[in-house]
Structure formats: C-alpha cells, structure tokens
Amino acid sequence: MRVSLEFKAAILGTISALASVGLAFATGNMFRPPPQPVPSAGVEALAIPPEGTPAHQGYTLFMMNCAHCHGNDARGDEGPDLHGITKSDARIASMIKNGIKGEMPKFGTKLSDTNVQALIAFVRTLND
C-alpha cells in the first residue's frame, strides 16, 4: 500500500500536536493560572486578590475573558476602564450577561451566574 506525502505529513503533524499536549499535561502546563499582568511604563500592576476568594476566581475569569479588551490592568483599551465603577451589581451582571450592542459581546451563555458574581467581586476590588 502506497501512502501519499500529504497523508504522511498530516499524520506527523497530528503526532506532533498530541505529543505537545501530552507534554503540557505531564508538566502541568495545561493547568497553570493565567499570566500575571505586566505593567507598562507608568502603569501599576493589578493587585491579585487572595486565592480561594470569589474575587480571585473573578480575576482569573477576567484575565481569560475580559483583559483582551479592558487591558491586563483593567484600565481600558478597546473597552472602558473598570476602576471605580459605580454601577450596581445588578447592572454590571446584566452588562456581562447581555453585552452592549456594538460595544461588548454577551457572556450569558459562556459564564454561569457564579462566574458573573465572581467577576463583579473582582471589579469591586478595583477601587482606585
């Protein structure tokens, strides 16, 4: 049986990808926490809430879902600065779940109510 070069390349690529996943799993890299924010010149890093708290879970969720728009320091980029938010928890939850048309995607199907409350707990730590 003859095997095409394309098939061989596809098999080698799959084996390589599986080996990478296996290595990441074996070394624990698949379960590492999100990267810590790196402050740019003149910007302070976020204070990371203590582990085991809802605010810490919210921080982790923020880094995975929100930082790409609100910035690693939550000071805004594409999305607004989240420091010193004065909106009610109910309004923040609604914005997270339902999004803002043309400005922010909906996260209601991606995040549970517990996740949303954890994000709110984290945002409440951004008081300055």
Side-chain angles (χ1 to χ4, degrees), residues 63-104:
M63 293 305 288
M64 292 187 311
N65 297 286
C66 312
H68 64 278
C69 286
H70 291 282
N72 284 348
D73 58 0
R75 296 237 176 246
D77 192 14
E78 287 180 43
D81 186 344
L82 299 177
H83 289 76
I85 295 283
T86 58
K87 293 178 176 24
S88 71
D89 288 1
R91 179 68 182 128
I92 296 170
S94 176
M95 291 168 66
I96 293 169
K97 290 178 184 180
N98 302 316
I100 302 170
K101 188 174 183 172
E103 296 180 32
M104 180 174 149

Side-chain angles (χ1 to χ4, degrees), residues 23 28 30 36 41 45 57 87 89 103-104 106 117:
L23 180 61
M30 287 183 68
Q36 302 301 313
Q57 180 189 8
K87 293 178 176 24
D89 288 1
E103 296 180 32
M104 180 174 149
K106 299 176 184 181
Q117 291 306 311

Side-chain angles (χ1 to χ4, degrees), residues 61 92-93 96-97 107 111-121:
L61 290 164
I92 296 170
I96 293 169
K97 290 178 184 180
F107 287 93
L111 301 174
S112 69
D113 287 341
T114 302
N115 291 155
V116 171
Q117 291 306 311
L119 276 167
I120 293 169

